[in-house]
Amino acid sequence: MKTVLLALFALTTTLTMYGQLSFTVQKVDASAVPQVVLDAQANAFPGVAVKLWEKQTATGPKSATGARYVATFPLDGISTRARYYANGKGISATSYMLAAKLPQAIQDAAKTNYPDYTLMSGEKIKLMSKGTFVYRVRLRKGAQKLVVYMDETGKVVSKDSLPSDVTEDESAPQE
């Protein structure tokens, strides 16, 4: 019996290790970014100067490995990060905002739907493949934290309906 339990434990541990995805992040010069990514950034945000490029290399399940490039830049005075696959396909662009900078519809929906929580901050996320927007809203009640996704009208959006590339970084920096 001990042998069977030990074998199951070893198998579970091994599968868990192989199922996890990890990222290595390094700052890179624009000259190290593929031209197709630079072109995609210039087309998506014309006339905007990138302040920092990062290369994120994923390791984990075979289908998830690869590189992504992240451009950091100010957009309308708001810190913004745009993410691209190495082939130039845009993933998302995220603008970080304090609660008072979020659109009124988002502020009102947070207050109505979560009256016991305080709206702390949020991000406006452009889903680049769809050209649509979603807001990731951070709320707090004492030590309890809550992350909710909303469309532009303040309607709650299921996290499961969003691409995993958008929901994987819920601990993003706040402005």
Side-chain angles (χ1 to χ4, degrees):
M1 182 69 166
K2 280 185 178 180
T3 306
V4 171
L5 289 175
L6 194 55
L8 284 174
F9 176 74
L11 178 63
T12 303
T13 303
T14 303
L15 290 175
T16 301
M17 286 183 351
Y18 282 104
Q20 293 180 348
L21 183 64
S22 64
F23 287 97
T24 303
V25 179
Q26 73 182 85
K27 293 178 184 177
V28 294
D29 188 78
S31 62
V33 177
Q35 188 61 47
V36 67
V37 174
L38 295 172
D39 292 344
Q41 171 67 17
N43 288 332
F45 302 96
V48 174
V50 174
K51 294 202 180 257
L52 172 71
W53 279 101
E54 293 175 344
K55 180 180 180 182
Q56 298 178 340
T57 306
T59 55
K62 193 172 188 176
S63 64
T65 58
R68 297 188 306 189
Y69 291 88
V70 181
T72 302
F73 53 93
L75 183 64
D76 299 327
I78 299 172
S79 178
T80 302
R81 293 169 52 93
R83 295 159 193 79
Y84 301 90
Y85 291 114
N87 65 6
K89 180 181 176 192
I91 301 168
S92 64
T94 305
S95 297
Y96 303 95
M97 300 177 211
L98 295 173
K101 299 267 186 180
L102 289 166
Q104 195 61 50
I106 303 300
Q107 293 181 45
D108 292 345
K111 186 180 282 187
T112 300
N113 295 328
Y114 307 96
D116 296 338
Y117 286 80
T118 300
L119 179 59
M120 302 303 292
S121 64
E123 296 104 39
K124 179 179 183 179
I125 304 169
K126 179 179 183 181
L127 306 175
M128 294 173 81
S129 63
K130 297 179 181 181
T132 59
F133 293 92
V134 66
Y135 287 83
R136 181 172 32 224
V137 180
R138 299 176 194 292
L139 302 138
R140 175 171 260 170
K141 178 169 86 173
Q144 187 177 11
K145 296 177 184 178
L146 179 64
V147 176
V148 179
Y149 293 86
M150 297 181 183
D151 67 13
E152 292 180 279
T153 67
K155 180 181 174 193
V156 174
V157 176
S158 167
K159 178 180 176 177
D160 296 334
S161 70
L162 300 171
S164 63
D165 288 325
V166 171
T167 60
E168 71 189 13
D169 187 21
E170 290 190 350
S171 61
Q174 299 174 21
E175 192 177 85

